[in-house]
Amino acid sequence: MHLNEKIAKFATRKLLNNHIIMRKNIVAGNWKMNTTKVDGVALAQEVAALSEQTPAEVGLIVAPPFTHLCAVGKALAGSKVELSAQNCADHVKGAYTGEVSVDMLKAVGCQWTILGHSERREYYGETDEKLVEKTRLALEAGLGVILCVGERLEEREAGKHFDVCASQIENVLYKFSAEDMKKVIIAYEPVWAIGTGKTATAEQAEEIHAFIRSRIAAKFGDEVAEDMTILYGGSCKPSNARELFAQKDIDGGLIGGAALKAADFIEIAKSF
Ligand code: 13P
């Protein structure tokens, strides 16, 4: 993107009917079930050190497995990198073996939790109803929510991708207030692009990001929609991040595989 185009993009983001747009560019790393505690701390230390090379206005988040949230949080201390969980329980506390509550996440320093990742929807029966509960508990506890939405391959081939994303957003986020949306990020992750090496083209991604923003506007108004950060996820890497992030409605990425290499993750964060 030429400097002039960059300035134009920035300028169009600045004002909407005298409303200063607060939308933030963010790159978040979802480590999924990868790294041991030792590897995770080393990766976090590297990300924290390299994060100084990224533009001040780009936010960075990492989401390690539960077992090393605490240690990774310590490794990130003093850096701009924020800490996220990959999931949380749909109950406050009690007899829910194997679950981790929002208060436990807060207590180890999490600022965010990812919710509704397609792997959780697909393999662990995560429903929109459960996601409403999880989102409610997370927001009440003061955690930000990165809500994942996205269609499967067969749904895209059947031309249902807009409907699928609309219903995932409406079933969950429409239960909350405009004020709550300040603590929510949406991640559009087409299931067919996750871990497959197949990225959505910048045009495909932009089309659905703009649509997602329009669904937020329909419920909460234009200002809330313009302030909403919408990330793209699915085989995002240093070689394609620049083109994706140049799109008007793509505000960063939720990165899987490439987030496991600090240099790649940081390179992606330098792609705006
Ligand atoms: P990949 O970047 O490995 O495709 O994973 C994307 C993802 O699922 C992030 O949550």
Side-chain angles (χ1 to χ4, degrees):
M1 193 164 41
H2 289 119
L3 191 59
N4 281 351
E5 283 174 87
K6 263 193 191 153
I7 292 166
K9 182 178 170 183
F10 185 70
T12 54
R13 279 187 172 186
K14 270 308 256 186
L15 277 177
L16 171 88
N17 301 330
N18 293 326
H19 167 72
I20 308 240
I21 296 171
M22 306 295 286
R23 196 192 306 173
K24 210 171 172 205
N25 288 328
I26 290 177
V27 173
N30 175 9
W31 295 2
K32 307 193 180 183
M33 199 171 72
N34 292 298
T35 71
T36 60
K37 182 175 154 190
V38 170
D39 300 337
V41 167
L43 176 57
Q45 281 167 341
E46 222 183 321
V47 168
L50 292 174
S51 68
E52 290 174 12
Q53 300 174 4
T54 62
E57 67 277 12
V58 175
L60 293 177
I61 301 173
V62 294
F66 286 136
T67 49
H68 26 307
L69 278 171
C70 201
V72 165
K74 285 192 186 125
L76 298 176
S79 80
K80 71 188 247 183
V81 189
E82 299 188 356
L83 186 67
S84 177
Q86 299 174 16
N87 182 31
C88 70
D90 56 345
H91 294 278
V92 175
K93 64 185 220 171
Y96 301 101
T97 303
E99 291 294 308
V100 177
S101 76
V102 289
D103 287 345
M104 295 170 190
L105 297 177
K106 275 294 278 188
V108 292
C110 280
Q111 288 122 308
W112 298 92
T113 183
I114 297 172
L115 289 177
H117 193 281
S118 61
E119 289 149 15
R120 296 217 53 89
R121 293 179 191 260
E122 190 79 15
Y123 310 141
Y124 301 98
E126 191 114 295
T127 59
D128 286 339
E129 291 70 36
K130 271 198 184 154
L131 289 170
V132 171
E133 267 322 284
K134 291 184 177 195
T135 302
R136 188 176 64 75
L137 292 172
L139 293 176
E140 281 174 8
L143 286 175
V145 168
I146 303 171
L147 180 74
C148 302
V149 301
E151 79 285 356
R152 298 193 192 97
L153 181 61
E154 61 273 23
E155 291 165 334
R156 176 158 282 260
E157 286 173 347
K160 290 189 181 148
H161 42 298
F162 292 107
D163 289 347
V164 169
C165 292
S167 75
Q168 287 172 339
I169 283 169
E170 288 164 22
N171 290 344
V172 181
L173 295 185
Y174 278 24
K175 306 280 190 286
F176 295 88
S177 69
E179 188 61 25
D180 290 331
M181 292 305 109
K182 291 185 181 157
K183 292 285 291 173
V184 172
I185 292 173
I186 298 172
Y188 168 63
E189 300 206 307
V191 180
W192 47 272
I194 296 178
T196 58
K198 265 194 218 167
T199 326
T201 64
E203 292 72 30
Q204 279 174 324
E206 169 57 21
E207 177 185 48
I208 202 124
H209 277 236
F211 171 75
I212 288 169
R213 199 176 302 287
S214 77
R215 298 318 302 153
I216 295 299
K219 171 76 177 171
F220 302 107
D222 287 341
E223 293 183 4
V224 173
E226 284 302 323
D227 287 348
M228 174 72 74
T229 294
I230 307 180
L231 307 180
Y232 168 79
S235 300
C236 184
K237 42 190 184 261
S239 60
N240 59 24
R242 197 167 293 274
E243 196 189 352
L244 287 159
F245 297 174
Q247 305 302 311
K248 185 166 82 55
D249 291 291
I250 302 182
D251 309 310
L254 180 54
I255 318 298
L260 297 173
K261 282 202 187 130
D264 285 356
F265 183 62
I266 294 298
E267 200 52 41
I268 293 171
K270 291 199 231 163
S271 302
F272 290 94

